[in-house]
Amino acid sequence: MHKASDLFIEVRRCPGMYLPDRRYASVVAFIEGFGMARAGLLDGFQPWLTARWRLPRSSLHWGSVVASQFGLDAGSPGVQAVETEDVEVEAANALLDALVEFLEMQ
């Protein structure tokens, strides 16, 4: 693995090698930790993500932006919490796909 995007491709392909479970929060924490270790890696990801997904501008953390699109953000008005494993995996995969796309554009 030479590029950061390669790591996240592998996390999506074999999550059990990198994550303690398949929960969306675990994926977000892993990405945040890696982003802290590689300062600047995630700079611009949140505005890029909202533009890419054609969402309104938001000051929410990118993890919350993605979660809200999959009904995982129970704290948002009008969003029903639907925290099933399938939905969490779908949200995690969408986040990882978007992150890989973002990193490959850098």
Side-chain angles (χ1 to χ4, degrees), residues 40-58:
L41 182 76
L42 300 174
D43 288 354
F45 181 53
Q46 191 275 354
W48 176 88
L49 180 68
T50 56
R52 177 75 173 96
W53 286 7
R54 295 180 176 91
L55 301 172
R57 279 190 188 187
S58 172

Side-chain angles (χ1 to χ4, degrees), residues 71-84:
L72 296 175
D73 189 3
S76 295
V79 177
Q80 180 180 357
V82 184
E83 296 184 19
T84 67

Side-chain angles (χ1 to χ4, degrees), residues 1 6-21 26 30:
M1 275 181 268
D6 292 341
L7 172 65
F8 296 110
I9 290 169
E10 286 300 307
V11 171
R12 189 186 191 300
R13 192 174 69 79
C14 300
M17 290 182 62
Y18 301 93
L19 304 170
D21 53 47
S26 296
F30 182 85

